Amino acid sequence: MTNIVNELTNKFSNHHDFFIEEELIDNTIVYVIGFTTLVDVTKSKLYIQQIAASSISIKAFFTNISNELNVPDEQLIKAILTGSIIILSKDATRNAVVEAFPQKLGSDISESKNESPVQASIDAFGNHLDINVGMIRKRLNTERLCLDSYEVGQLNKRKIYMLYVKGRASPELINKVEQQLTTVQRDIETLDDLNNQFGHRRWSPVSHFSATELPIQAVDALKNNRIVFFLDQFPFALIYPNLVGDMVSSANDRNLTFALTVMLRALRIIGILATLLLPALYVALVSVNPELFKTDLALFVIQSREGVPLSAFLETIVMVILVDLILEGVVRLPKSVGPAVTMVGGIILGQSMVEAELVSNLLIITITAVVIASSAVVGMQNSLYLRLLKYPILLLASVFGILGICTGFVLTIIYLASLTSNEIPYLTFRLGQKGDET
């Protein structure tokens, strides 16, 4: 191989979608080089062969196939990264940059269904690995973006792509992840199987991964020193490790002004606290520590619960479970039925329970606020685990009141602080740059 081919091979050694293929044209070997995730290799090679067939010599072939001939090495690298293919003669005396047939990145791209970006592209990842990687490369066209591929499983082999930015992600973290992926001894059927491969968290509601279907979110994670995985037939990018800041921070926020970004993140923090504490606070103030109310407010609460036969804890636990059931039903049911369940569960059932004096008006307001607050955080899985964590605090509040809320909240923070992903604490807000920029 020529020096430039050796240089390209070394530069893209961590890119498993990088290809170098040989073609024989006019008894001269030429190299065809590019990325399979950006280039339709079959169509591009057919085009090259057609030009070769109509050319009388290797010199005529290079003249006919492109206007960009004998360009510097830096431009060759840039052309590869931007989705072109380059053709090199074996003796390195000629090269050409050719506009290749691109991968049909738009054929499997649809709108985001689980996330709603504001003032940003609504394209979402699909089931095809190469298309997903191509969407990343279109937005992050640097040679430092590395791709490693793995095939895991015993009976059902599945492909996993790992992307990271060389010089940004920690080499120690990359080595540990590579070891974990190369020692998979089971089929990876679900995200939970992959999650367990990165550390035992079977009973933990917090995942090692933050899932997103937005390319802008995955690119932002790569730029911020993290690793992104793609699992075939899974239309999400898995950002590793999952950090607590993912609940309040979104790359789309930066499409707004700084003041609006700060406001949105403050609202999400309020949403997290409201989801965890509001039901417990209702029980504590109504049944355990009513003396904390002012007189007129205490009278209002007593009036709102007049005739309710259930204790504050029982009516609250019934309502939060009922609301969680309704939310789960709305998610699982077809879109044509979901709104009807929302109407029946949220309005008719809630109003009926108030009129039957089974729950108070104040509790309905509290539960409604909790549902809205839990939806303010970024990521559906984060909303789900917050809804789960509110139950232990609610139980402690029913026994110890305000003291139970404080204890439950502190225990929750301690539990979250104990979670790690390859020794990276979950409560880390931002990963430092550990790699060598060069």
Side-chain angles (χ1 to χ4, degrees), residues 176-194:
K176 289 178 182 176
V177 169
E178 286 176 343
Q179 290 175 4
Q180 288 165 322
L181 288 176
T182 53
T183 58
V184 175
Q185 299 294 327
R186 54 189 294 181
D187 287 341
I188 303 296
E189 297 292 347
T190 65
L191 182 56
D192 188 51
D193 295 332
L194 186 62

Side-chain angles (χ1 to χ4, degrees), residues 77-329:
I77 295 172
K78 186 177 179 181
I80 294 172
L81 291 170
T82 53
S84 298
I85 57 175
I86 63 172
I87 300 177
L88 297 171
S89 62
K90 190 174 182 179
D91 57 5
T93 56
R94 294 186 176 89
N95 68 54
V97 176
V98 180
E99 289 296 325
F101 286 88
Q103 281 281 8
K104 291 183 178 178
L105 299 180
S107 62
D108 198 26
I109 298 175
S110 59
E111 294 184 5
S112 169
K113 295 181 177 61
N114 297 285
E115 297 170 81
S116 300
V118 179
Q119 295 183 4
S121 171
I122 57 175
D123 289 348
F125 292 122
N127 291 323
H128 200 288
L129 283 173
D130 288 341
I131 290 177
N132 291 341
V133 175
M135 293 172 75
I136 295 287
R137 285 203 183 278
K138 281 290 184 184
R139 292 166 172 80
L140 195 62
N141 53 355
T142 169
E143 70 272 17
R144 289 165 56 194
L145 176 63
C146 299
L147 167 64
D148 292 340
S149 67
Y150 302 88
E151 198 168 71
V152 300
Q154 292 182 328
L155 297 178
N156 182 22
K157 297 286 186 184
R158 297 192 71 176
K159 279 188 175 179
I160 296 177
Y161 281 2
M162 179 177 79
L163 287 92
Y164 59 91
V165 176
K166 187 178 181 182
R168 291 292 183 91
S170 164
E172 292 80 13
L173 178 62
I174 294 170
N175 290 335
K176 289 178 182 176
V177 169
E178 286 176 343
Q179 290 175 4
Q180 288 165 322
L181 288 176
T182 53
T183 58
V184 175
Q185 299 294 327
R186 54 189 294 181
D187 287 341
I188 303 296
E189 297 292 347
T190 65
L191 182 56
D192 188 51
D193 295 332
L194 186 62
N195 204 38
N196 288 327
Q197 184 64 27
F198 282 78
H200 195 67
R201 282 191 183 178
R202 178 160 295 277
W203 292 103
S204 172
V206 185
S207 170
H208 287 289
F209 303 97
S210 172
T212 179
E213 58 180 348
L214 299 178
I216 184 175
Q217 195 75 10
V219 169
D220 184 67
L222 289 167
K223 288 180 177 177
N224 286 289
N225 317 324
R226 288 201 266 176
I227 298 172
V228 169
F229 294 97
F230 287 107
L231 184 64
D232 64 349
Q233 301 303 313
F234 188 77
F236 290 88
L238 303 174
I239 298 171
Y240 180 86
N242 179 28
L243 303 178
V244 67
D246 294 336
M247 279 196 295
V248 297
S249 175
S250 169
N252 287 311
D253 295 345
R254 287 191 283 280
N255 291 321
L256 306 173
T257 63
F258 180 73
L260 292 176
T261 300
V262 172
M263 182 195 73
L264 289 176
R265 293 178 181 178
L267 288 174
R268 288 170 190 149
I269 292 173
I270 293 173
I272 293 170
L273 296 175
T275 305
L276 290 174
L277 303 180
L278 264 185
L281 202 58
Y282 172 82
V283 172
L285 293 178
V286 168
S287 65
V288 183
N289 301 110
E291 69 277 6
L292 296 178
F293 281 133
K294 290 183 177 179
T295 305
D296 52 350
L297 188 55
L299 290 174
F300 168 75
V301 172
I302 292 171
Q303 187 179 6
S304 73
R305 296 199 72 251
E306 190 175 2
V308 177
L310 302 176
S311 67
F313 173 70
L314 278 179
E315 66 166 340
T316 305
I317 199 76
V318 167
M319 279 303 298
V320 293
I321 291 176
L322 193 57
V323 167
D324 281 343
L325 286 173
I326 292 171
L327 292 176
E328 182 63 14

